[in-house]
Amino acid sequence: MTHQLPVSIDDADIEQFGRELDAIQREVKASLGELDRRYILRMIEIQRTLALGGRVLIFASLPLLPAVPLFLGVIGLGTGALGISKILENMEIGHNVIHGQWDWMGDPQIHSSTWEWDNVCPAEQWKHSHNVVHHSWTNVIGRDRDVGYAILRVTEQQPWKPAYLAQPLYSAALAGLFEWGIAMHDLDLGALRRGKLTLADIRDRLAGIGRKAGKQVMKDYVLWPLLAGPCFLPVLLANAAANVMRNLWSFAIIFCGHFPDGAHVFTEAQIGGETRGRWYLRQVLGSCNISGGPLFHVMSGNLSHQIEHHLFPDLPSHRYPEVAPRVRALCARFGIPYNTGSFARQLGTTLRTIVRLALPTRTTRTRPLPA
Amino acid sequence: MNNGPSIWSRLADVASLVATPLAPSHYLALVSPLAATHALQARVVAVRDETADARTLTLRPGRGWRPHRAGQHVRVSLAIDGRIATRTYSISSSPDRRDGRIEITVKAVLGGRVSPVLAREVRPGAVLSLGQPEGALVGPVGGSRPALFVTAGSGITPIASMVRTFAARGAMPDVAHLHYAPTGPEVIFGDELRALAAAHPWYRLIIVHTRDDPRRVSADRLDELVPDWRTRETWACAPRGLLEAIAACFEREGRTSALHIERFGAAIVPVPASATGGRVRFEATGTATRADGRTPLLRVAEAAGVHAPHGCRMGICHTCDATLLSGCVRDLRTGDQIDEPGRRIQICVCAAAGDVDLAL
């Protein structure tokens, strides 16, 4: 065994594992067709209808204001619809379209090169920070900035420093403002702090964020509220609530992707000379699924199938549920751990880690092999 | 008059700000695809068979359609097996139609991917994507020299648009129309054009059935069919063989400038049976190089000194996607060949399969 991955499997088996995953990917790609296209068109239609319906309900609630319970009921419904539409737009639609999952259709309207999402992070920058950096360097300490997002200590392999003491607070703030955290992500503020980048290096990106965020803020916090005239405040609060709802949900789902107990992290030395098979293996070892029903999977943008997403990032997400049992069986055959659990288990262990690692625990350099 | 922006355009500006990152049109499309302006759509309102394998589709273009001129063509896109396919068809109807509808006439090409679907499967009610009218094959204008039209097969469609327009305007110029078709029943618009010829003495229709009379086009043959062809300004729309023959006649007479030619569709690079490469041209940088059939185009670009943005180099991040302008590439992962101009291809996992032009 020449690889240095925390699992007892020999090189030949790793490559066989990779070939079988390649075969699954080829098979699913070959079967893409009209039904898949109808799925994404329908999803986009549902999402846009919810967005429009939500905004209409928020406005419809305003004349009801004297009847407070009725007003609250209607504006709550509208806010919920708008929040759900933002969740679908960012997760099942935006994230996946920007990954190129729907590029096979050749539809200029639904294509990674042209898609812009309802998020303060410009799609162009997200493609770099997420598709390139995170998906290529998944869970490699020092390379994958998604490990702790440069502000959190989520593995003992990150050396402790006093600033981490407050990380339960940072996490709570990040959860509520998650889209802003995502927007800052490609700036690589860590490198700026360490002096590896200068302000001039990130000026263009900063300007890009400014333009995009400006439009988003204008829409949700200025124009829609202004259209309500004297009822400016309820509309502003409803829009803010919808954005926070999406932020909290996407934070929870995304933090369950790589931080629950049992997820592995890697050093650059461990992945030297990585073959395709070993790349696949790292994706499985570093990712975690969340179990749930069909609605839960759609609402999570199918990131509840984080393992399958990391193996096949440009496979249309609604196909992950059918692929998952095959990937899981393959992992079982090769003795590779497949990390899945309930939402409560995955989120619970993630939050526990954030609290626990705020304190100076011992920095481990190597992990024991699983028994 | 106030030349500043109208209240409507101001409202439209606000509407687009509250719809960001989409446009208001995306929400209008939920109600009616034809009301959308972000992507021009057309509804098929009627279908009519012209011959055994050609069918006319009557389309109602949505908002934003710019009326065509007779002789122009239009790009039509539809999803086939989930994938968007685009083809160009001449508009066969007259721009003078009162109802604003247009017609395209599609002949099912044996083994084709798009034309059989349009000519046999598409039903009224279907929605297709449309480009704007394009093309410079605009025919004779009133008071111009006598004209000659030479057409074959479905090449008759842009010419039909012109003839219909002259007839509708009551301004038929002196036109000789030479049309080639295998047999009588295979003449698209045959009955209508014969009726027009009967009603308009200036419109002379000569139909040659190539099944009975396989003689090729030559100066002698033209002398027989249209004796005064040398004095006529000529428009030709036909398969390549006939166009070449016509062009040769005009060249010999030194009258090349009096010949206007419309080819069907774009030049298609034949797909080789084995995985051979070809000449790769990077349009934006104006660089050309040669590539084999297995080196990813990203590496070909880099070797040629062409800057190509890229990310993972393994086909997952789509940072290196580039637009295919013409030619054919092979997706190294699937062996699929992609030859649709305008498609975005992942150059880190695609190799040349013949000559390739990329927008890089």
Side-chain angles (χ1 to χ4, degrees):
Chain A
M1 221 173 344
T2 57
H3 68 85
Q4 304 177 40
L5 295 168
V7 60
S8 54
I9 174 173
D10 64 32
D11 284 347
D13 275 356
I14 291 178
E15 295 317 309
Q16 182 57 29
F17 176 64
R19 279 191 293 275
E20 300 210 16
L21 287 173
D22 279 339
I24 292 176
Q25 165 151 251
R26 266 198 306 276
E27 193 184 304
V28 178
K29 281 197 173 166
S31 73
L32 294 174
E34 194 56 38
L35 289 176
D36 300 275
R37 177 172 171 80
R38 269 189 231 157
Y39 172 82
I40 192 64
L41 290 179
R42 183 92 187 107
M43 186 56 59
I44 290 172
E45 199 178 298
I46 289 171
Q47 182 269 320
R48 288 178 186 168
T49 306
L50 275 171
L52 199 60
R55 303 236 186 230
V56 167
L57 278 177
I58 291 170
F59 274 71
S61 75
L62 302 176
L64 305 172
L65 196 47
V68 171
L70 189 60
F71 160 74
L72 287 178
V74 176
I75 201 168
L77 211 60
T79 308
L82 185 59
I84 290 171
S85 88
K86 282 174 178 277
I87 287 171
L88 289 175
E89 201 275 352
N90 279 192
M91 301 182 81
E92 181 65 343
I93 302 169
H95 166 263
N96 296 331
V97 170
I98 296 170
H99 255 296
Q101 292 183 4
W102 297 97
D103 288 4
W104 60 273
M105 297 194 300
D107 186 339
Q109 298 293 329
I110 308 173
H111 199 278
S112 64
S113 62
T114 54
W115 194 269
E116 191 52 86
W117 58 349
D118 183 14
N119 189 298
V120 293
C121 176
E124 210 45 55
Q125 296 190 23
W126 169 258
K127 271 187 251 182
H128 179 256
S129 69
H130 180 78
N131 295 7
V132 182
V133 179
H134 171 56
H135 273 273
S136 313
W137 293 100
T138 314
N139 284 26
V140 178
I141 305 275
R143 297 306 292 254
D144 179 5
R145 296 205 299 275
D146 281 31
V147 179
Y149 297 93
I151 55 167
L152 304 177
R153 182 168 178 248
V154 292
T155 159
E156 286 173 338
Q157 297 200 33
Q158 293 169 284
W160 184 83
K161 57 188 180 188
Y164 288 136
L165 281 170
Q167 74 174 14
L169 292 178
Y170 304 155
S171 310
L174 180 61
L177 297 168
F178 198 52
E179 65 170 328
W180 295 94
I182 287 174
M184 308 299 282
H185 199 33
D186 199 38
L187 292 176
D188 199 1
L189 295 180
L192 190 72
R193 210 169 40 226
R194 290 191 301 275
K196 287 190 176 168
L197 284 177
T198 66
L199 262 180
D201 295 324
I202 62 168
R203 204 176 48 203
D204 288 352
R205 273 174 283 166
L206 215 46
I209 295 168
R211 277 191 301 274
K212 180 73 196 295
K215 283 190 203 165
Q216 293 289 117
V217 167
M218 190 74 166
K219 169 179 73 164
D220 281 338
Y221 302 123
V222 180
L223 290 174
W224 279 109
L226 274 179
L227 286 175
C231 296
F232 183 90
L233 198 61
V235 173
L236 183 136
L237 291 176
N239 291 351
N243 277 324
V244 169
M245 181 175 156
R246 181 270 324 274
N247 287 349
L248 292 175
W249 178 254
S250 50
F251 168 90
I253 294 297
I254 288 164
F255 268 54
C256 287
H258 302 287
F259 306 149
D261 278 6
H264 291 272
V265 292
F266 309 89
T267 60
E268 277 200 65
Q270 272 178 305
I271 65 157
E274 191 174 59
T275 60
R276 180 143 185 87
R278 288 188 208 170
W279 182 84
Y280 273 136
L281 181 55
R282 174 160 60 91
Q283 303 305 321
V284 175
L285 293 175
S287 308
C288 307
N289 282 8
I290 314 168
S291 53
L295 187 62
F296 177 78
H297 291 314
V298 169
M299 289 299 291
S300 77
N302 275 301
L303 290 180
S304 47
H305 295 105
Q306 190 76 233
I307 295 173
E308 289 71 25
H309 173 56
H310 264 269
L311 293 172
F312 313 122
D314 67 356
L315 211 58
S317 59
H318 72 129
R319 294 296 199 100
Y320 293 149
E322 80 181 53
V323 167
R326 300 176 66 182
V327 172
R328 192 170 181 172
L330 203 58
C331 288
R333 205 177 101 204
F334 286 98
I336 297 165
Y338 183 94
N339 190 330
T340 182
S342 67
F343 190 31
R345 187 266 175 192
Q346 303 296 52
L347 189 59
T349 59
T350 297
L351 296 180
R352 188 177 65 192
T353 299
I354 290 172
V355 172
R356 193 167 57 86
L357 296 187
L359 299 171
T361 54
R362 200 165 57 86
T363 301
T364 51
R365 274 285 155 220
T366 53
R367 270 173 181 262
L369 289 175
Chain B
M1 278 301 285
N2 176 9
N3 288 329
S6 71
I7 180 106
W8 290 115
S9 75
R10 291 235 168 111
L11 272 179
D13 289 346
V14 173
S16 58
L17 289 175
V18 299
T20 186
L22 299 175
S25 160
H26 289 100
Y27 294 98
L28 278 179
L30 292 173
V31 186
S32 158
L34 296 199
T37 50
H38 64 281
L40 182 56
Q41 310 278 309
R43 190 182 297 282
V44 178
V45 291
V47 302
R48 177 177 80 238
D49 283 323
E50 299 289 352
T51 67
D53 55 5
R55 175 175 285 184
T56 294
L57 308 180
T58 306
L59 308 177
R60 185 154 77 85
R63 269 174 62 195
W65 168 255
R66 292 198 293 269
H68 71 286
R69 288 174 294 160
Q72 287 193 301
H73 50 249
V74 64
R75 273 179 295 121
V76 176
S77 304
L78 72 165
I80 297 175
D81 195 20
R83 291 154 179 85
I84 302 291
T86 302
R87 295 291 184 272
T88 300
Y89 293 99
S90 292
I91 302 173
S92 51
S93 56
S94 162
D96 291 358
R97 260 180 92 122
R98 290 266 173 80
D99 59 7
R101 294 174 180 181
I102 60 166
E103 292 186 343
I104 57 170
T105 302
V106 181
K107 189 171 168 181
V109 175
L110 197 66
R113 191 157 73 89
V114 178
S115 61
V117 175
L118 285 172
R120 303 203 202 284
E121 290 174 25
V122 166
R123 298 269 171 273
V127 173
L128 309 173
S129 294
L130 219 55
Q132 291 290 353
E134 292 172 310
L137 187 82
V138 177
V141 285
S144 62
R145 277 196 286 164
L148 167 63
F149 295 151
V150 182
T151 59
S154 57
I156 201 168
T157 53
I159 299 301
S161 175
M162 294 181 197
V163 174
R164 286 166 169 168
T165 304
F166 298 141
R169 293 179 185 170
M172 185 65 72
D174 178 355
V175 170
H177 182 180
L178 174 57
H179 180 66
Y180 288 84
T183 62
E186 286 171 82
V187 177
I188 297 172
F189 312 135
D191 291 342
E192 184 190 348
L193 292 179
R194 275 187 286 267
L196 283 176
H200 297 270
W202 288 107
Y203 174 53
R204 197 155 77 80
L205 179 65
I206 307 126
I207 296 177
V208 178
H209 295 149
T210 51
R211 187 80 39 91
D212 309 328
D213 178 2
R215 278 177 289 171
R216 289 178 59 88
V217 171
S218 62
D220 291 348
R221 186 79 180 118
L222 281 175
D223 284 339
E224 241 172 84
L225 295 166
V226 191
D228 57 356
W229 66 276
R230 287 180 178 83
T231 63
R232 291 176 178 266
E233 184 155 12
T234 300
W235 283 264
C237 187
R240 196 196 310 189
L242 179 54
L243 288 181
E244 280 168 4
I246 286 276
C249 296
F250 276 73
E251 212 165 303
R252 228 165 289 134
E253 297 291 322
R255 294 190 65 234
T256 315
S257 62
L259 177 66
H260 313 277
I261 277 181
E262 177 86 332
R263 292 187 169 80
F264 296 163
I268 292 166
V269 177
V271 179
S274 59
T276 54
R279 178 188 54 77
V280 179
R281 235 157 59 80
F282 302 98
E283 206 64 44
T285 43
T287 313
T289 183
R290 293 203 67 80
D292 62 25
R294 49 195 59 77
T295 308
L297 288 165
L298 176 58
R299 276 174 47 204
V300 173
E302 287 168 340
V306 173
H307 169 70
H310 60 84
C312 65
R313 307 184 73 101
M314 56 194 289
I316 63 170
C317 79
H318 291 268
T319 305
C320 67
D321 288 6
T323 302
L324 180 67
L325 295 174
S326 72
C328 180
V329 300
R330 172 189 298 272
D331 188 323
L332 291 169
R333 296 171 303 176
T334 57
D336 288 348
Q337 294 192 334
I338 305 167
D339 60 1
E340 203 127 302
R343 275 292 282 269
R344 303 274 297 171
I345 59 161
Q346 294 174 273
I347 59 170
C348 67
V349 288
C350 285
D355 293 353
V356 180
D357 275 20
L358 287 174
L360 254 185

